[in-house]
Amino acid sequence: MNTAVTIVGAGPGAADLISVRGMRALEKADVVVYAGSLVNPELLSYCREGCQCLDSASMSLDEQVAVMSKACRAGKNVVRLHTGDPAIYGAVNEQIAALAKEGISVSIIPGISSVFAAAAALGTELTAPGASQSVVLTRTQGRTPMPAKEDAASFARTGATMVFFLSAGKTAELMQKLMQEGDVAPDTPACMVYRVSWPDERIIRADVATLAEKAQEAGITRQALILVGKALHSHNESSRLYAGDFSHGYRNSIADESFDGPCAIYAFTAKGVSLAHTLLSALNPASRIYCAGKAQADTEQSFAGIGLKNQVAKNWAQYAAHIFIGACGIAVRSSCPHLKGKTVDPAVISIPENAGHVIPIVSGHIGGANRLARRLARITGAEAVISTATDVNGLPGFDDIAAREKARILTPGTIKALNAALIEGRDIAFAGDQAVCERCFAGIPQIHFVSGAEAAEYDYAVLWDSPSGTRGKKFSLEITKEAFTLGIGCRRGVSFEALLSACERFLAEQGLSKDNIASIASCDVKKDEEAILRLAEEWGKPLAFYTAEELAAVPVPTPSRMVQEKISTPSVCEAASLLSAGYGASSGVRIHTKKTIMGDITLALGQLPHGRTQRKGKGCIIVAGLGSGSERHCTPEVTEALEQCDVVAGYTNYLKLIGDRIAGKPIIQTGMRGEIERCRQAFAAAMEGNTVCMVCSGDPGILAMAGLIYEFKIKEEQYRDVQIRVLPGITAASIAAARLGAPLQNGFCLVSLSDLLIPADEVRRNIQSCAKSDLPIAIYNPAGRKRRDLLAESLEIFRTVRGEDTLCAYVKNAGRQDEKVWTGKLCDFPADEVDMSTLIIIGGPRTCLAGNVLYEARGYMEKYRQD
C-alpha cells in the first residue's frame, strides 16, 4: 500500500519548464489531480498510458482528498499537480492536513514560480545595485483578507521590488494606492506579464501612472503578474559580483585574506575529506589532501602507510601552509617537532570537522596563517579565531603588512618591539615608501610619514626602503621590497626584447615587478649570454653564475632530464634562484614560483629569507655580551648586532635566553667544553661572507669568549683576514652589586674559582692574594655539582684572613626571573646553596650592611661632612 501523495510544482505554464524530478513523478503516476484552469494540459503528456488525470477545478477539497486517499490505499502513485511553485499561493497546507487525517503523508517537488519566469520574459533582474536589493511577493486583498501590517503601501515605502499575484483585476486601485500612500513616484517602472511562458503570453511595459490604462486597453484582468520597482529598468549600475576587485571564498582579492601558497590539508574521516575538498577549490592548484583512509580522488593521497607524523615531516618544507581538519591538539603535536621560528615557519591551521571555527596556530603574520584562516572562514561560513595582539586590537601588524606586500624584513628582531609600540599607542616614524604607508596605515594617527633624516627623532621607526638608513633612537624595523631572486634559463642567442618581455610578464603574473628583484642568476655557460647581461645591467641588479655542479647539488621541485643530459644539471632557473637567495647558507630560502616556460626562456623565483645576508668576500665575527640574558640588560649596540647578523653562535643555555630575538636565524650552538668547535664553526661561517654574532653571558672580555676568538684569529692563518669586533655587556658583578646596593664602590677584585682552564694551585694563589687586600672580592664560577672543594677552601681563607664577621652576600641568577639574594656574615654563609649561576661578594673593611642593603662607605662623609 502506498501512503504518500506527491505534490508537484508544474512551473509557470510551458511544458518544458517543469523540473526533471517533477516530470519523472508524472511519468510514474497512476493518478494525477491537476488544476485544469491553471495547469497547461500539455504537461499531462508526460503521464503514461492508463494514468487517470482528474481536473480539480470542479472538485471541493474533500472530494480531492477522497480521490487521492483512495488511490493511495490501492497502492497507486498519486500526483497533485499545482501551477508554479506549490509554496506560493498554492493552498497546499489544507490538503496536507486533510490527507494526514487519512493517514496519508505528502512529499513536495518545487516548481519554477511565475515570478521568475516573468523576470526572464522581461529580461531583467528583480534586484539591482543602487535600485533594490529586496523583493516582496504579495497580493491585493480579495476574498482572502490581508493581514493589517501587509499593506501594499507599507511595502512600497521600503523601496523593494514588488510582485503582485492575483491582483490584475485591481490594477487601477493598486497603482493609485502606491502613489498616494506608498510614496511611489509616478514614473517608477511597472510591468504586467500575462500568462507568462504560455503561447499567448503578453507583456505590458509602463510606469505606475500609466500601467492601469494600458492593462485596460489590453483587456487583461486575470492570470497576470504585476511587477513594480526601479530595478526593472536599472541597467546602468553593474553588480559587484563579477567585478575584478570583488571577493568571495573562491575568488578573493581582500588583502586581509590574501594567501597564494600551496597548502597540505590533513583529513582523518570521510567528513573531514569532504570539507577538505570544499577548501581545496579555493586554494593554490598545487595544494593537496592527505587522508587517513584510502585515497578516492586524484587530489588525495593516503598517509596510512607511513603515518601522519612521517607525512607531515615529508611535507613540511614543501607547503606554505598545513591545514589539519580535526582536533587542535593534532595540529600542535604534528607541527611542534618542525618549528624553527616565526620568520621561516609555514602557516599551521586547525579546523574542527563541523567547520565552526578556523584556528591559526603558527605563523599568523609572516607565514600568513591569519589571512588564510579568514579566507577559509569565508568559504565555510566559520569564525576565524584570531589571537595575535595587533589583530585583536584592530591594528595592522608591521610583519603582516610586510608579508602582504611580499616584502622582506631585514631586522626581524625588532618586529616585537615595533608591534608593541603600535599597540601601546606610541608615535612611530615611517620613512621610505610613501605608497605603502598610505595604502596600509592610513587612518592610524600615531604612524607619521617622515623623511629618512626625521626618523632619527623618533624612538620607533619603520624604514621601508628608506635611502638614508637613519635609525630610530630605540628600535627600527627595516624592510625592503627586494625580496626575490630571479633564476633564468634560455636557449643560446635569445633576444633581449624576448627576455625582457618574458620577465616582465612573468613578474606581473606574480603581482611583482623588477623593483622586487634583489638579484639575477643563471648557469655559468650563460656568462656571455648578451640578453641576460643586458637585463641585469638595465635593471641594475647583481648577476651571479653558478657551475653545473653547484646547481645539480640543489634539490628543486621540477627537475628536467633533458637539461641534465645537455649541461649536467637537472635545473638551471630554479636551482640558480635558490643559490642566489642563499641556499645552503641561510634557513628560510625557498622557491616562490616554480619553473615557468615562456617560449625559449625558463624563469623561476627564489624567496630570500628575512634578515640581512652578506655574501661578498669574508664576513666578520661580533663577540657580544648579553649581560644576564634579559632584554633589558642588553645594550642597544648588542640588540642591533643580533638583529642584523646572519648567524648566531653561542653556548646552548645562553641561546635559550634570547630565543625569541633570534628566531629564524641560523644557529651555531655547542654545550659546555664545546668552545673550540663553536669558534671553528663561527669562523667558517664568517669565511663564507656571513656576519656571525658570538654571544656570551655578561661581558665577552670577562671569563668569556673574546680572548679565544682572538687566539684563533692570530694563531690560525686562514682566519687572519676575518674582522673581529667586541661589544661590551653588563658583567654579573655589576648586576649583582646593583641588586645588593653598592658593595664594590671603592674598587674590587674579580676572580674565578673554576679550575677547568686554570690550575687549582693558581686559583688558590689568586684567592690568597685577594684576601690579603682590603678590596671586596667578586667570585665567579664558585662551585659546580662535583667541584666544591675550592669554594670551601676559599671561604676558609677569607674567614682566617678577614675574620668570621666579614660581611658578604651572594646573588644567584643575577638579573633573571629566578634571581635569589642572600646577605650576612661570613660565619653564616650558606655554601650548600651555591652553584655555577651564583656570584659571591666578600666584603672589605669599608663594607656596611643595612637591612638587606650591602654597600661600601665611599669616604665622602668622613672627609667633607660638617656637623
Side-chain angles (χ1 to χ4, degrees):
M1 180 176 70
N2 183 25
T3 57
V5 169
T6 302
I7 297 178
V8 175
D16 57 355
L17 284 181
I18 190 172
S19 69
V20 172
R21 186 179 296 183
M23 180 185 70
R24 288 174 179 165
L26 289 175
E27 290 172 345
K28 296 178 181 178
D30 299 304
V31 175
V32 175
V33 179
Y34 68 100
S37 60
L38 300 173
V39 171
N40 189 340
E42 289 184 26
L43 288 163
L44 301 178
S45 65
Y46 293 122
C47 300
R48 62 190 175 185
E49 188 175 349
C51 176
Q52 184 181 12
C53 298
L54 303 173
D55 187 350
S56 65
S58 60
M59 300 169 68
S60 67
L61 175 62
D62 290 342
E63 290 171 331
Q64 295 173 35
V65 170
V67 168
M68 291 188 286
S69 300
K70 181 179 178 181
C72 282
R73 292 192 185 98
K76 296 181 178 180
N77 293 323
V78 179
V79 168
R80 177 67 167 102
L81 190 60
H82 274 266
T83 184
D85 183 272
I88 301 177
Y89 304 115
V92 296
N93 284 345
E94 55 261 44
Q95 298 176 60
I96 294 171
L99 286 166
K101 289 179 180 179
E102 300 294 326
I104 307 298
S105 62
V106 169
S107 64
I108 300 176
I109 298 174
I112 298 174
S113 172
S114 58
V115 62
F116 304 118
L122 291 168
T124 189
E125 291 184 61
L126 301 179
T127 57
S132 173
Q133 291 292 290
S134 303
V135 180
V136 175
L137 306 182
T138 186
R139 57 171 293 176
T140 56
Q141 183 162 305
R143 284 179 292 180
T144 302
M146 291 291 289
K149 293 183 179 180
E150 295 185 15
D151 180 67
S154 299
F155 288 135
R157 284 191 288 270
T158 68
T161 301
M162 294 175 289
V163 181
F164 294 91
F165 290 74
L166 309 171
S167 304
K170 297 183 178 181
T171 305
E173 179 184 336
L174 175 61
M175 295 301 108
Q176 285 298 316
K177 188 177 185 69
L178 294 179
M179 289 187 287
Q180 293 173 4
E181 300 177 28
D183 300 328
V184 176
D187 61 352
T188 301
C191 300
M192 180 176 284
V193 183
Y194 171 73
R195 288 171 61 87
V196 63
S197 82
W198 290 67
D200 56 347
E201 171 189 283
R202 295 170 67 187
I203 295 174
I204 298 174
R205 299 179 188 270
D207 54 32
V208 173
T210 60
L211 180 64
E213 182 181 350
K214 290 186 177 182
Q216 185 177 10
E217 290 174 359
I220 300 174
T221 59
R222 59 188 298 273
Q223 291 187 298
L225 283 180
I226 298 172
L227 298 90
V228 177
K230 295 178 181 178
L232 301 179
H233 288 179
S234 180
H235 301 292
N236 295 326
E237 188 168 349
S238 299
S239 163
R240 297 285 299 143
L241 180 60
Y242 299 107
D245 60 349
F246 184 80
S247 298
H248 51 71
Y250 300 97
R251 192 185 75 244
N252 194 323
S253 60
I254 299 174
D256 266 355
E257 300 173 16
S258 60
F259 194 93
D260 55 10
C263 304
I265 309 176
Y266 305 92
F268 308 97
T269 66
K271 187 175 180 181
V273 171
S274 176
L275 175 57
H277 279 285
T278 299
L279 304 177
L280 196 67
S281 56
L283 299 174
N284 182 295
S287 301
R288 194 164 181 79
I289 298 168
Y290 294 87
C291 54
K294 185 179 179 181
Q296 303 290 336
D298 292 341
T299 53
E300 298 175 19
Q301 180 176 325
S302 175
F303 57 77
I306 64 172
L308 176 64
K309 178 181 177 181
N310 291 328
Q311 188 67 67
V312 173
K314 185 178 179 181
N315 290 350
W316 190 255
Q318 297 180 33
Y319 291 96
H322 297 265
I323 303 166
F324 295 83
I325 300 176
C328 196
I330 297 174
V332 172
R333 287 191 296 272
S334 300
S335 303
C336 273
H338 311 291
L339 299 178
K340 295 180 180 178
K342 64 165 59 179
T343 61
V344 295
D345 290 333
V348 176
I349 284 177
S350 174
I351 306 177
E353 278 191 357
N354 68 359
H357 299 87
V358 183
I359 308 164
I361 296 173
V362 170
S363 209
H365 284 173
I366 293 178
N370 288 359
R371 299 189 300 281
L372 179 58
R374 295 187 188 100
R375 187 185 192 94
L376 299 180
R378 183 178 292 274
I379 296 168
T380 60
E383 178 182 3
V385 184
I386 309 297
S387 60
T388 40
T390 49
D391 296 78
V392 299
N393 282 280
L395 295 166
F398 291 111
D399 48 345
D400 188 43
I401 294 299
R404 286 193 221 169
E405 295 288 319
K406 299 181 179 180
R408 178 177 168 222
I409 300 172
L410 299 176
T411 56
T414 57
I415 294 171
K416 181 179 177 181
L418 266 294
N419 280 344
L422 185 64
I423 293 168
E424 292 165 4
R426 301 181 186 276
D427 286 331
I428 299 172
F430 189 106
D433 195 323
Q434 187 171 0
V436 171
C437 186
E438 293 175 352
R439 180 168 59 248
C440 302
F441 301 105
I444 302 177
Q446 70 197 83
I447 297 180
H448 310 277
F449 182 77
V450 300
S451 68
E454 291 175 312
E457 300 173 10
Y458 290 78
D459 287 339
Y460 301 89
V462 176
L463 308 177
W464 197 300
D465 283 316
S466 177
S468 71
T470 303
R471 300 174 58 79
K473 293 177 183 177
K474 289 185 177 179
F475 294 99
S476 296
L477 180 62
E478 297 184 45
I479 301 172
T480 178
K481 66 171 76 73
E482 292 186 347
F484 302 94
T485 56
L486 179 62
I488 300 177
C490 64
R491 289 187 183 275
R492 174 64 65 183
V494 69
S495 71
F496 168 71
E497 290 73 21
L499 179 62
L500 177 64
S501 175
C503 290
E504 288 177 340
R505 283 188 290 116
F506 171 68
L507 293 176
E509 288 170 2
Q510 318 308 318
L512 303 170
S513 71
K514 66 179 182 181
D515 294 336
N516 300 105
I517 301 301
S519 60
I520 299 172
S522 188
C523 182
D524 64 354
V525 298
K526 298 295 179 183
K527 278 186 176 180
D528 59 348
E529 193 69 59
E530 181 61 33
I532 296 178
L533 296 174
R534 184 176 169 188
L535 180 74
E537 181 180 0
E538 294 207 1
W539 281 11
K541 306 297 180 183
L543 178 59
F545 296 100
Y546 299 97
T547 66
E549 183 180 8
E550 289 174 312
L551 295 170
V554 180
V556 296
T558 55
S560 167
R561 183 179 299 175
M562 184 176 68
V563 175
Q564 171 73 49
E565 292 172 353
K566 285 189 175 182
I567 59 174
S568 302
T569 175
S571 171
V572 173
C573 62
E574 288 180 337
S577 70
L578 286 170
L579 287 171
S580 186
Y583 176 83
S586 298
S587 60
V589 175
R590 67 180 184 89
I591 285 288
H592 179 272
T593 307
K594 295 180 183 179
K595 177 174 68 177
T596 301
I597 301 173
M598 307 186 83
D600 293 336
I601 299 161
T602 59
L603 301 170
L605 281 178
Q607 186 157 9
L608 285 155
H610 296 286
R612 296 186 186 278
T613 56
Q614 181 179 342
R615 296 288 175 267
K616 292 183 179 180
K618 292 184 175 62
C620 67
I621 297 177
I622 299 172
V623 193
L626 299 176
S628 68
S630 169
E631 193 168 351
R632 70 182 189 276
H633 286 152
C634 261
T635 67
E637 197 174 28
V638 170
T639 297
E640 182 178 7
L642 289 172
E643 293 168 8
Q644 298 187 1
C645 69
D646 302 308
V647 180
V648 181
Y651 173 48
T652 301
N653 289 348
Y654 299 159
L655 293 176
K656 289 180 181 178
L657 296 173
I658 58 171
D660 60 335
R661 285 176 275 166
I662 59 172
K665 290 183 181 289
I667 288 173
I668 297 169
Q669 63 178 346
T670 60
M672 189 66 71
R673 304 190 182 185
E675 291 83 359
I676 295 294
E677 178 59 26
R678 196 186 313 156
C679 286
R680 288 196 187 281
Q681 290 186 37
F683 271 100
M687 294 287 286
E688 292 176 355
N690 293 288
T691 296
V692 181
C693 191
M694 174 72 77
V695 298
C696 315
S697 69
D699 182 273
I702 298 176
L703 304 170
M705 296 293 292
L708 180 57
I709 289 290
Y710 276 111
E711 282 188 84
F712 263 91
K713 176 180 170 66
I714 292 166
K715 294 182 179 180
E716 302 270 350
E717 185 174 352
Q718 69 268 33
Y719 300 147
R720 289 180 185 172
D721 292 336
V722 175
Q723 298 273 331
I724 308 296
R725 183 181 172 206
V726 178
L727 302 181
I730 305 175
T731 188
S734 298
I735 297 171
R739 177 66 177 82
L740 294 167
L744 308 178
Q745 189 77 88
N746 293 305
F748 66 99
C749 297
L750 187 155
V751 64
S752 169
L753 295 190
S754 173
D755 60 355
L756 182 63
L757 302 174
I758 303 296
D761 285 343
E762 184 176 338
V763 175
R764 293 185 182 98
R765 290 195 298 272
N766 290 340
I767 291 296
Q768 290 279 2
S769 299
C770 292
K772 292 175 183 178
S773 75
D774 286 338
L775 292 170
I777 316 298
I779 301 177
Y780 285 63
N781 308 318
R785 282 175 294 180
K786 297 179 181 179
R787 182 184 57 78
R788 306 194 71 84
D789 291 345
L790 282 174
L791 172 62
E793 291 181 38
S794 299
L795 293 174
E796 184 57 34
I797 290 171
F798 283 112
R799 282 192 288 263
T800 300
V801 175
R802 296 196 177 185
E804 296 268 351
D805 292 333
T806 299
L807 296 173
C808 56
Y810 80 60
V811 180
K812 186 182 290 188
N813 296 313
R816 298 173 187 165
Q817 286 186 343
D818 52 350
E819 182 182 80
K820 183 179 179 182
V821 175
W822 178 89
T823 57
K825 295 182 179 180
L826 201 52
C827 59
D828 299 321
F829 189 84
D832 291 344
E833 297 178 9
V834 171
D835 60 17
M836 284 291 286
S837 298
T838 306
L839 190 288
I840 300 173
I841 292 180
I842 308 293
R846 290 178 172 270
T847 303
C848 305
L849 181 63
N852 289 324
V853 176
L854 194 70
Y855 69 96
E856 258 199 314
R858 184 74 176 91
Y860 289 108
M861 295 286 281
E862 292 86 346
K863 186 168 184 178
Y864 298 114
R865 181 177 177 180
Q866 296 179 357
D867 294 329

